[in-house]
Amino acid sequence: MHLPTGTVVEVDDAAHFTSFRLAALELYRPDAALGFDVGEHAALCREWCARTDGLDRGLAAKGFGFGGRQRERAYHDALRDLAVPAMGHPPVLRIVAVDGDGAAAYARHRDALLALSGS
């Protein structure tokens, strides 16, 4: 969280781009206050889901059972996306890092991150 502005910053690796996340994104209202491009995230979900839907399939997720880690992650992402602005905070800023390269992700989102601090 960027404390001066109350902005939640999330870094999404490949595991966040599943068919379950896509299903959640497709239910968002068009006027939802979001700090990321829903279309871009939906496209990444379509691109990556064949590889990511099976991740952690043998692990249990609280409230979602075995094989439910992707559904649990999609639920928590959607909860933060929609509840944080509803509680009076700025929209969640999502940083895409499907390649696992934090430095490249920072470079792609540098301007948005610096805008938070007014730098």
Side-chain angles (χ1 to χ4, degrees):
M1 175 178 269
H2 181 257
L3 292 177
T5 62
T7 302
V8 174
V9 179
E10 294 262 334
V11 178
D12 292 343
D13 63 3
H16 286 262
F17 298 97
T18 64
S19 61
F20 304 102
R21 178 71 168 138
L22 176 61
L25 290 171
E26 289 175 341
L27 295 173
Y28 284 17
R29 294 172 50 128
D31 62 345
L34 302 171
F36 63 96
D37 183 323
V38 173
E40 176 190 356
H41 272 62
L44 285 167
C45 289
R46 287 183 194 94
E47 179 183 341
W48 283 86
C49 69
R51 290 170 271 188
T52 57
D53 278 358
L55 294 175
D56 300 330
R57 180 155 271 183
L59 300 175
K62 292 178 184 167
F64 295 89
F66 281 97
R69 294 286 297 264
Q70 298 84 357
R71 289 188 300 277
E72 179 185 39
R73 185 176 289 113
Y75 167 77
H76 285 144
D77 284 350
L79 183 62
R80 282 186 289 273
D81 289 345
L82 302 172
V84 168
M87 295 183 330
H89 295 284
V92 174
L93 179 61
R94 293 201 167 272
I95 307 296
V96 175
V98 292
D99 56 4
D101 187 343
Y106 171 77
R108 287 190 302 271
H109 293 87
R110 183 177 185 277
D111 293 339
L113 292 169
L114 289 174
L116 290 176
S117 62
S119 299

